[in-house]
Amino acid sequence: MGMRETSESTMIFAPSVKRKRRVQLRISERRLLMILGDLLGIILAVFVGLGIWAYVGEIAYDQAFLLSQSMWFIVLAGIWIVLANANGYYEFSIAADFWRSLQRLVIIHIQMIALYVVIFFFSDRTSLPRLFIFYYSLIAFIWMFLWRLLNPALIGWASAKRRVLIVGTDWASKTIIQTLQQDAKETYSVVGIISETEQADEILHGTAILGSADDLLDIVEHESISEIVVTSTRKLSGEVFQAVMDAYEQGVVITPMPLLYERITERVPVEHVGDNWAVVLPISGTSVFNPYPFLKRLVDVVLAVIGLIVFIPILPFIALAIYLDSRGDIFYSQMRVGLNGHPFRIYKLRSMTPNAEQETGAVFTQAGDIRVTRMGKIMRATRLDELPQLWNVLKGDMSLIGPRPERPEHVKRLQEKIPFYRTRHIIRPGVTGWAQVRYGYGANDDDSLVKLQYDLYYIRHQSLLLDFGILLRTVGKVLRMSGQ
């Protein structure tokens, strides 16, 4: 299969022109660079903020003064990391979009000022500076705004897009091309496609097919390809495999499509892994020396106890509001599918009219569902209706973090329809989880597929750090009243 030509009879790939190879950072490296830049801005903002505070208060701005206020460098950096994670500020799709990133930046600074004001109100008037946080916030905001706006100019070579060559013309190829174009256009540039067969279309999802295995190495050299994405590792012909290995020996990164898709979207593309079941299971197996299961259960019990202690005193007021809004039971329970597929009974505060499914049977809740009461809308937005599930956590039916437990009727249907759906039952279901904070409430089977992708990502990467991040994002959704 020779080089393809366009309708204007010009070569899509011109071997006489060789591009200059540039350093191109990976997703994790770009994210780390953004975080380091933000932390540098926080340190500078604290320095300047303290300087303005000292000048206004006619205080000597010397080494002794800085040492006495050194805690602000640690405290404000810690608050930033917490709020940034709670608001998903470093999510790839948000970080790559300047305007969405700016919106989150404004929200984070408003939350930080509000938090400081609340603490200041309940503290001794002489224990905290009055206006320092406003000086700091303004300077930090300007720095981070410029850091996002001028990032390509500031770091030059590091902003170069990774030039990608796709190997394969199947549905997985279309999916990864679409993902790169929609969610990673500032980081990846799809140069073209290598076809695995002699017969193929000229264009696939708007991307040109440049040639076959025989042309791969020449394209890599002349187009300065930094990464090759292979969409089907189990169906590679000998010729294609040899060409890919030749490129690998030249220093080109070789990435299976599911792994790149996972890095960008933080989801596992279950519909594109074929029979490669290892992709959807945890990266490392279980071990008796792994402290994570014990620590996670310990955190579950401690936080569930604390949550119930806080919840029980306010329960009478919530119960009265539920009853006055819609006469009926305060609590309701349902059967759900839990660990290893075992059913258990879940407990929640009633947010719908009594006997809401008497005529419809088991169905997903839809946006604007008329069955949800006025008090129910408030409880769902703030997730108050899920607080009784802390009792399920204490019993061991659930964890604080994990896939949302589904009803047996839905599970039976979805297991027949969606590949690897039963994999989500290898861990305890959760009160909140990666799918809940990243995607929201599922209203149909298509949503269930997307949520499964997020659930499998969590199962593969679960850790205390990820759990902490999910808890922070859950708090962020509660504060924004964005629950469903």
Side-chain angles (χ1 to χ4, degrees):
M1 184 175 181
M3 296 300 149
R4 302 298 184 93
E5 297 185 1
T6 65
S7 58
E8 292 81 12
S9 299
T10 58
M11 298 293 287
I12 291 178
F13 162 58
S16 59
V17 179
K18 186 174 182 178
R19 296 177 180 269
K20 182 179 180 181
R21 186 178 294 275
R22 303 176 69 188
V23 176
Q24 298 163 328
L25 298 183
R26 299 187 181 187
I27 293 174
S28 59
E29 295 168 336
R30 288 172 183 263
R31 182 181 287 116
L32 178 60
L33 193 62
M34 285 191 298
I35 294 174
L36 291 177
D38 290 345
L39 291 177
L40 175 61
I42 290 171
I43 293 173
L44 292 176
V46 173
F47 266 116
V48 178
L50 289 174
I52 297 174
W53 178 37
Y55 175 79
V56 173
E58 299 181 349
I59 303 173
Y61 187 61
D62 53 18
Q63 184 177 4
F65 172 76
L66 287 174
L67 287 175
S68 67
Q69 302 298 327
S70 59
M71 67 173 185
W72 291 111
F73 294 96
I74 300 174
V75 170
L76 291 176
I79 291 176
W80 168 259
I81 293 298
V82 169
L83 292 178
N85 278 281
N87 288 276
Y89 188 61
Y90 295 114
E91 286 181 17
F92 185 78
S93 59
I94 293 175
D97 187 317
F98 173 76
W99 292 111
R100 292 182 67 191
S101 182
L102 178 61
Q103 182 184 45
R104 296 296 174 95
L105 182 61
V106 172
I107 292 173
I108 292 170
H109 279 276
I110 291 175
Q111 290 174 347
M112 183 194 63
I113 293 174
L115 177 65
Y116 187 88
V117 169
V118 170
I119 296 175
F120 181 86
F121 180 79
F122 288 101
S123 301
D124 182 85
R125 290 294 179 268
T126 60
S127 62
L128 294 175
R130 182 181 296 272
L131 296 176
F132 161 68
I133 196 66
F134 295 100
Y135 304 144
Y136 157 80
S137 182
L138 178 61
I139 297 166
F141 180 86
I142 293 173
W143 168 273
M144 293 175 187
F145 172 81
L146 293 175
W147 179 240
R148 291 294 184 274
L149 183 64
L150 304 178
N151 186 272
L154 289 174
I155 58 180
W157 53 267
S159 66
K161 295 182 179 181
R162 292 184 67 80
R163 297 178 61 78
V164 174
L165 188 65
I166 307 294
V167 175
T169 54
D170 53 8
W171 280 102
S173 302
K174 295 181 181 179
T175 298
I176 194 62
I177 290 172
Q178 184 179 24
T179 300
L180 292 173
Q181 291 173 345
Q182 291 182 351
D183 300 328
K185 60 183 178 181
E186 300 298 326
T187 305
Y188 286 88
S189 174
V190 181
V191 176
I193 302 170
I194 292 295
S195 175
E196 298 174 282
T197 61
E198 292 295 328
Q199 291 79 31
D201 296 333
E202 297 280 341
I203 301 292
L204 181 68
H205 203 72
T207 304
I209 296 178
L210 302 183
S212 64
D214 295 336
D215 311 308
L216 189 148
L217 196 57
D218 287 336
I219 295 173
V220 165
E221 293 177 350
H222 289 86
E223 293 293 332
S224 296
I225 301 298
S226 57
E227 189 165 349
I228 292 176
V229 178
V230 182
T231 63
S232 181
T233 57
R234 291 179 175 268
K235 297 180 181 178
L236 285 182
S237 65
E239 293 79 7
V240 175
F241 177 77
Q242 291 298 330
V244 170
M245 290 305 300
D246 289 339
Y248 178 76
E249 292 174 354
Q250 297 293 325
V252 178
V253 175
I254 311 299
T255 306
M257 175 271 183
L259 294 184
L260 181 59
Y261 182 92
E262 183 178 314
R263 291 173 192 163
I264 295 173
T265 65
E266 297 180 319
R267 294 157 31 194
V268 174
V270 291
E271 68 272 46
H272 296 297
V273 300
D275 59 352
N276 192 10
W277 53 267
V279 174
V280 302
L281 293 179
I283 293 175
S284 59
T286 58
S287 170
V288 295
F289 300 105
N290 181 11
Y292 172 72
F294 170 77
L295 292 176
K296 181 175 184 178
R297 182 58 186 158
L298 178 62
V299 171
D300 283 345
V301 171
V302 172
L303 293 184
V305 170
I306 295 174
L308 288 172
I309 291 174
V310 174
F311 170 61
I312 290 174
I314 64 174
L315 176 59
F317 303 99
I318 299 175
L320 179 61
I322 294 172
Y323 185 77
L324 292 177
D325 184 37
S326 173
R327 299 296 177 90
D329 295 335
I330 304 303
F331 297 94
Y332 88 99
S333 64
Q334 280 182 342
M335 294 304 299
R336 299 291 177 96
V337 178
L339 179 65
N340 297 325
H342 296 307
F344 71 98
R345 185 166 294 277
I346 195 174
Y347 299 95
K348 300 180 70 174
L349 291 171
R350 182 174 59 84
S351 60
M352 288 188 174
T353 55
N355 302 316
E357 294 184 336
Q358 187 173 3
E359 297 181 1
T360 62
V363 294
F364 288 115
T365 303
Q366 304 293 323
D369 199 317
I370 61 174
R371 299 173 301 168
V372 180
T373 65
R374 289 171 297 180
M375 183 60 186
K377 292 178 181 178
I378 297 174
M379 291 193 299
R380 283 171 174 252
T382 57
R383 303 213 174 174
L384 281 173
D385 62 317
E386 298 184 0
L387 287 178
Q389 294 175 41
L390 295 175
W391 175 246
N392 290 110
V393 174
L394 276 182
K395 290 173 59 181
D397 297 328
M398 298 177 64
S399 172
L400 286 176
I401 311 294
R404 184 184 184 91
E406 287 291 357
R407 302 173 67 174
E409 301 91 333
H410 295 322
V411 170
K412 181 179 179 181
R413 182 184 71 259
L414 294 172
Q415 283 187 169
E416 297 174 352
K417 186 175 182 180
I418 301 177
F420 305 107
Y421 187 82
R422 65 179 298 179
T423 309
R424 70 198 301 273
H425 297 140
I426 67 175
I427 65 172
R428 285 188 179 91
V431 177
T432 186
W434 189 235
Q436 287 93 308
V437 298
R438 290 298 307 275
Y439 190 71
Y441 195 85
N444 52 52
D445 289 357
D446 291 336
D447 289 337
S448 295
L449 172 59
V450 177
K451 295 190 71 174
L452 175 63
Q453 292 178 335
Y454 282 116
D455 288 336
L456 293 181
Y457 178 89
Y458 173 75
I459 291 172
R460 280 172 50 78
H461 299 276
Q462 56 184 317
S463 65
L464 289 178
L465 183 61
L466 180 56
D467 289 345
F468 181 64
I470 293 171
L471 285 176
L472 290 178
R473 294 187 188 209
T474 301
V475 172
K477 290 179 78 73
V478 169
L479 293 175
R480 297 192 300 270
M481 295 187 68
S482 58
Q484 296 182 6

